[in-house]
Amino acid sequence: MKKELNILIAMTSVWCGLIVLTPVIATMEHGDGTVSNIFYRLFGAVCHQFDSRSFHILEHPFAVCIRCTAIYFGFFLTLVSVRSSTALQTKTIKVTTLLVITFMPIAIDGICSLFAIYQSTTFLRMMTGSLFGTGIALLLHNSLSEIIQSTFRITQQHHETETR
Amino acid sequence: MPSLYGGLLIATVWAVPGLNFINCVCCAGVLLGGFLAVLLYQKDITPDMEPFSRDDCIQLGIFAGVISAILGVLIQYIVRMIFGDVMIDVMMKLVERMNVDLPPEYYQLIETARQSEQSVISFVVDVVVLGMMNTLFSFLGALIAWNVFRPKQ
């Protein structure tokens, strides 16, 4: 599964990289902004992209907000940790417990912040977001690796059939 | 059918003012749609049928995502064509009544949405962009459901 995990990590790093690179591209495009606008629009389908709730590079916001950035980077870093640890790769985790532990904090923080019960902070958004990303990575890394493995197997079989 | 219900849930959460706040938590509404599609599918499996597989879940999630994109954008465009900016007005009234704490950019976003023009090209672009993202997150929601409901070995 290590090869498949490497591919998954590569794909996730491209996603995370685009989040950070989009403001850099926006700066380099000063005025036109075609490429950066495409990326902002793409990521805008999954995030509100509020300027006041996003990290900034070179006076342009990341492609997603702080919470989403923490989710995706939490996901990515967990995959890297799983890749480096055989114990984590084979560990069985109770699904519902994991979902509750990782989803409840972000849900509570989001709802309480939305209804002005308290004002969430950058730190809270990062913590709850990265916890959620970590949980999703621990839950799904095996399934996603298996999908990549079967995709490669199908592609290989198809290629072998064609060369015969 | 399960994919249709999942897609309907995603499209409803996306289009209905108030409900769409759920998507502020990492597209939870979209994840839920994929999850729902698998939940409904596995409920119909009887002991004499083949148990549902991971590939079934993937297909359910992907179809739910595609359906949600088409339905969601279609509903939004049709409502706007017939009723004007009623969804936006309802959203603003809801925000005021619920005492929701939103940053100033939100109101800028609303104004931009009011002024945006609808065309065939914008419809296609919206469907494609939403389709890609909804399919991805719905697929992840379906995978989460697979890990929750997978047949015990």
Side-chain angles (χ1 to χ4, degrees), chain B:
Chain B
M1 284 308 278
S3 293
L4 180 62
Y5 291 130
L8 255 171
L9 172 70
I10 298 169
T12 309
V13 166
W14 187 72
V16 173
L19 271 185
N20 49 13
F21 287 130
I22 295 173
N23 282 333
C24 289
V25 185
C26 191
C27 298
V30 187
L31 291 172
L32 263 170
F35 193 94
L36 178 72
V38 173
L39 173 71
L40 293 175
Y41 182 74
Q42 62 91 27
K43 276 188 137 190
D44 287 338
I45 305 255
T46 53
D48 52 308
M49 289 166 69
E50 259 189 55
F52 76 109
S53 68
R54 188 198 61 221
D55 290 344
D56 294 334
C57 296
I58 292 168
Q59 282 178 39
L60 287 166
I62 289 173
F63 285 138
V66 170
I67 290 168
S68 73
I70 297 168
L71 275 178
V73 178
L74 206 61
I75 291 169
Q76 192 189 48
Y77 273 60
I78 290 172
V79 167
R80 202 166 169 207
M81 257 195 308
I82 298 172
F83 300 110
D85 292 330
V86 66
M87 290 294 216
I88 293 173
D89 293 335
V90 168
M91 177 83 111
M92 292 308 294
K93 284 197 178 119
L94 214 67
V95 163
E96 282 165 41
R97 271 205 203 150
M98 285 159 64
N99 191 31
V100 171
D101 177 34
L102 291 165
E105 300 101 309
Y106 179 78
Y107 301 98
Q108 266 175 356
L109 211 71
I110 297 293
E111 275 317 302
T112 311
R114 266 194 222 274
Q115 287 160 19
S116 65
E117 281 175 26
Q118 289 182 306
S119 65
V120 174
I121 295 172
S122 65
F123 177 83
V124 170
V125 168
D126 284 346
V127 169
V128 167
V129 170
L130 202 64
M132 281 165 57
M133 293 308 190
N134 277 8
T135 304
L136 176 64
F137 282 82
S138 176
F139 155 77
L140 288 175
L143 262 191
I144 292 171
W146 159 249
N147 280 281
V148 173
F149 298 118
R150 68 197 300 174
K152 305 283 181 261
Q153 282 158 3

Side-chain angles (χ1 to χ4, degrees), chain A residues 92-106:
Chain A
T92 332
I93 301 168
K94 213 167 175 197
V95 175
T96 33
T97 312
L98 183 65
L99 280 175
V100 168
I101 290 171
T102 56
F103 194 68
M104 289 307 288
I106 196 172

Side-chain angles (χ1 to χ4, degrees), chain A residues 41-42 51-52 114 119 146, chain B residues 54 98 101 105 126 133:
Chain A
R41 180 120 191 217
L42 212 62
D51 203 73
S52 58
L114 188 66
Q119 181 64 265
E146 284 167 12
Chain B
R54 188 198 61 221
M98 285 159 64
D101 177 34
E105 300 101 309
D126 284 346
M133 293 308 190

Side-chain angles (χ1 to χ4, degrees), chain A residues 22-112:
Chain A
T22 302
V24 176
I25 295 169
T27 308
M28 285 161 57
E29 285 180 323
H30 35 249
D32 184 1
T34 313
V35 176
S36 57
N37 276 343
I38 291 170
F39 289 134
Y40 277 125
R41 180 120 191 217
L42 212 62
F43 283 103
V46 298
C47 180
H48 53 66
Q49 295 175 319
F50 290 152
D51 203 73
S52 58
R53 292 185 185 174
S54 302
F55 290 125
H56 287 68
I57 284 182
L58 304 166
E59 294 173 11
H60 286 99
F62 276 18
V64 295
C65 68
I66 293 170
R67 204 189 304 276
C68 289
T69 304
I71 290 169
Y72 299 128
F73 275 86
F75 186 88
F76 168 68
L77 291 170
T78 306
L79 285 182
V80 171
S81 307
V82 167
R83 174 67 180 86
S84 346
S85 159
T86 323
L88 269 178
Q89 281 175 40
T90 51
K91 189 164 180 60
T92 332
I93 301 168
K94 213 167 175 197
V95 175
T96 33
T97 312
L98 183 65
L99 280 175
V100 168
I101 290 171
T102 56
F103 194 68
M104 289 307 288
I106 196 172
I108 291 168
D109 187 48
I111 291 165
C112 290

